[in-house]
Structure formats: structure tokens, C-alpha cells
Amino acid sequence: VGNQNRGAEHNKLLPHLQAWLQQDARIQIVIIGDRNLASKLPNERIEYHPILNYAPYRRLLASCQMALLPLEQTVANSCKTPIKWLECAAESVAVIAGPELYKQTSPDFCSLWAPTIEQIVPLATALANQPSRRLALTTNAHRWLKAKPSAP
């Protein structure tokens, strides 16, 4: 979790993240930039980073298995670029995304799409227990990007 200016979306994720952390001792959440979200989750289960320069950010992203991209449907969000999804695909990180932007720019076989922000964590919870499905999503994303050199 780590986009800037996503406080509203992160607040909607919060109770679901808290429940997930209580249910599954294996989960470690990496948060970039949102100190408020990090402060509401158990310190021992959070790896918090301030906003990073690009190369360290990409190294950190590559260390993750999944990324939560919680964009809500708004006019402003519909104008964004899919760079976060592209970065995740490049670093072999499975994406679970909210209802805006990413679903329109990449195919279903490359990521999981939540119809609401509140459904992102339940999808991630299921995917955390399916390593072969995570691998299939990231492999599909790599193949799709190679076949589409102009990217979405």
C-alpha cells in the first residue's frame, strides 16, 4: 500500500487490513508514505517507508508479493496513468486493484479487480493462500506487456 493522497481509500481499507493481520500471522504489510495508515496497524507487522526515490522504491516493490491499488471511481482518478500497475507487472508483483483505472487498461487475466475498495483485502486474503495463482497473474502480466510494447 503506498500511493500518495489516498487517505480516503486507505481509511476504507483499514478495518479489513486490521482483520487480515489478526487472522493471518504470516502477513507483513509494506506501506510507503502514509504514516497515518501505518500508525493504525500493529508496528511489528508493518514495514513503513517515507516516500522513496525511484530506484529504492522499485527495489522495495520487487520484494513484495502483492500490491493493493485502491483507486476509487472518481473523475480525477480516471485521468491517472496506469504506471503503478506497470511497475508491479515489471517487478512480478501481483495486483489487486480497486474499481478505477487499472481494469480499463489491462486484461482480467493479469490482475484481480475489486468492484469496491472494501473488497480489495478479501481478494488479497484469498490470493495470499494461492501462490500458483499469484505466479500465473504475474506471468500473464509479463507476457501481455511483451506482446503490447506500447503499454496501456
Side-chain angles (χ1 to χ4, degrees):
V1 181
N3 286 334
Q4 292 179 327
N5 304 316
R6 295 282 155 257
E9 285 103 334
H10 291 175
N11 283 336
K12 288 182 178 183
L13 286 178
L14 181 61
H16 305 283
L17 292 172
Q18 290 169 326
W20 191 15
L21 289 170
Q22 287 179 345
Q23 294 165 2
D24 191 338
R26 301 170 302 151
I27 301 303
Q28 178 80 13
I29 297 177
V30 177
I31 298 174
I32 302 172
D34 190 340
R35 172 62 76 187
N36 185 49
L37 178 63
S39 72
K40 294 176 181 173
L41 296 166
N43 282 343
E44 66 277 2
R45 307 288 295 287
I46 299 302
E47 182 180 333
Y48 173 78
H49 299 268
I51 299 299
L52 301 168
N53 289 327
Y54 195 64
Y57 158 73
R58 289 291 295 267
R59 284 192 298 275
L60 180 62
L61 180 62
S63 75
C64 298
Q65 294 179 8
M66 297 185 292
L68 310 182
L69 306 180
L71 286 182
E72 287 195 286
Q73 288 182 306
T74 66
V75 172
N77 284 344
S78 70
C79 297
K80 294 186 175 295
T81 69
I83 188 69
K84 294 287 183 223
W85 185 89
L86 294 168
E87 292 165 342
C88 289
E91 300 299 346
S92 299
V93 178
V95 168
I96 302 94
E100 187 60 80
L101 182 64
Y102 303 105
K103 185 170 177 61
Q104 292 80 17
T105 58
S106 60
D108 288 343
F109 57 85
C110 293
S111 301
L112 297 182
W113 314 114
T116 67
I117 298 298
E118 292 82 4
Q119 291 171 310
I120 289 175
V121 173
L123 286 171
T125 301
L127 192 59
N129 295 314
Q130 301 171 338
S132 60
R133 187 166 186 210
R134 285 195 314 269
L135 178 60
L137 290 171
T138 58
T139 300
N140 290 342
H142 279 276
R143 288 182 184 147
W144 187 74
L145 286 174
K146 279 186 176 182
K148 188 176 174 63
S150 61

